[in-house]
Amino acid sequence: MSEDHPAENAEFAEAEHDHATALDSVMAERRRLLSLAFRMTGTLADAEDVVQETYVRWYRLTPEERDGINVPAAWLTRVASRISLDLLRSARARRETYVGQWLPEPVPADLFADTAQATPGPRHPAADPLDRVTLDDAVSMALLTVLEAMTPAERVAFVLHDVFGVPFDEIAGVVGRSPAATRQLATSARRHVRGGRRAPISPREHDETVRAFLDATVGGDIEALLRVLAPDVELRADGGGFVNAAPRVISGSDHVSRWLMGVMRKQPALRLERRDTADGLGYVLRNEGRLYGVITFGVSDGYITHVWLMLNPMKLTSWSLAPRARQA
């Protein structure tokens, strides 16, 4: 382009600037999309695949098609949701061959902070405030395990509406149902969530109970451990076939306490480091300095009700580079 045409040069520069700005705004959605996809799929690897495929589809559009999209963030959300729905449907078959128990991936407390918010869009209403479950940004194991009990369509409808505030008429296009049927999906999903909740407790009570659990476990005091475990406590461990783990759910305070004590005896080099997890206080496990696992807890009425032990190295990616905390 010649210097003899300053108007053309200015037009070209403006077009390039607009293109760069549009690209930045699209890429700025990546973390929110990853948060959405993680809630739908339960693992960071699957969420990364969903987001990558979403951007591939965006860049396959012609410039004219992209210009015709009024709210790119809303378009990206819909596409990521459809990809997640397809992945969830196929995941059910894949998990039938999974070695041992399958658990969602535990993540640090602040990994997706400030991402659970309304999806931008001109038609987004501040509606249905009472027709939603109150949730925060934390992606807790307690919630993720409940989401696993839902059908794929229920899960997508719940995450889009109750977490990200997407209206039902838009979700209907994602799940292939009418808006009324989509609302019923979310209602059914909400029953799962409310049914899986125990009496709310303060973070302080949660952490005090977990510390009592740790003191008893590390100290080898089985009587003290029994006092902090709920009679119907359940322990689930996910080794993914890479690490030996309990192949089935361990239920009852006696069985759980004896299993934990057995682990501590067999692995004397095991050390626990405090971490803030999405469920509250949890621990990173290290064996001879190597990252070995993450343990998180469900607590109610001063008792440990759930123990989630992640040993699968493929689901420890968000902890491998985390700064080391002081030993418990």
Side-chain angles (χ1 to χ4, degrees), residues 44-253:
L44 287 173
D46 283 341
E48 289 279 6
D49 288 345
V50 167
V51 174
Q52 181 176 341
E53 177 60 23
T54 300
Y55 279 116
V56 165
R57 296 188 187 186
W58 171 263
Y59 288 111
R60 281 178 180 164
L61 298 174
T62 65
E64 292 75 20
E65 288 172 329
R66 285 197 290 270
D67 288 343
I69 297 172
N70 294 327
V71 186
W75 185 94
L76 293 167
T77 296
R78 287 193 298 272
V79 172
S81 300
R82 291 189 188 110
I83 296 169
S84 296
L85 182 59
D86 290 341
L87 190 148
L88 280 172
R89 287 166 174 161
S90 65
R92 298 223 157 184
R94 284 191 284 120
R95 287 175 194 169
E96 290 178 2
T97 60
Y98 194 82
V99 178
Q101 301 176 70
W102 191 96
L103 282 175
E105 183 170 347
V107 295
D110 59 352
L111 184 63
F112 293 121
D114 302 320
T115 58
Q117 52 190 298
T119 298
R123 293 190 297 140
H124 176 74
D128 299 323
L130 300 178
D131 195 22
R132 294 168 67 176
V133 172
T134 301
L135 300 168
D136 56 23
D137 284 325
V139 190
S140 67
M141 185 67 74
L143 176 61
L144 288 172
T145 53
V146 172
L147 293 178
E148 285 296 315
M150 300 178 186
T151 68
E154 284 175 341
R155 186 168 185 167
V156 169
F158 175 81
V159 171
L160 284 176
H161 183 264
D162 283 51
V163 182
F164 289 89
V166 179
F168 284 119
D169 60 344
E170 293 185 18
I171 301 172
V174 174
V175 298
R177 311 280 182 95
S178 69
T182 303
R183 183 181 290 273
Q184 287 303 310
L185 286 174
T187 299
S188 176
R190 214 168 286 126
R191 282 196 293 268
H192 281 286
V193 174
R194 289 176 174 141
R197 283 184 167 178
R198 301 239 181 176
I201 62 168
S202 69
R204 178 180 176 181
E205 182 183 351
H206 176 281
D207 293 356
E208 286 178 350
T209 306
V210 170
R211 281 192 288 269
F213 167 92
L214 180 77
D215 291 343
T217 304
V218 173
D221 189 341
I222 195 166
E223 293 300 324
L225 183 56
L226 285 168
R227 286 195 295 270
V228 79
L229 295 176
D232 58 349
V233 62
E234 292 185 345
L235 183 149
R236 289 176 167 81
D238 181 342
F242 298 96
V243 178
N244 286 333
R248 292 175 294 277
V249 178
I250 301 175
S251 302
S253 55

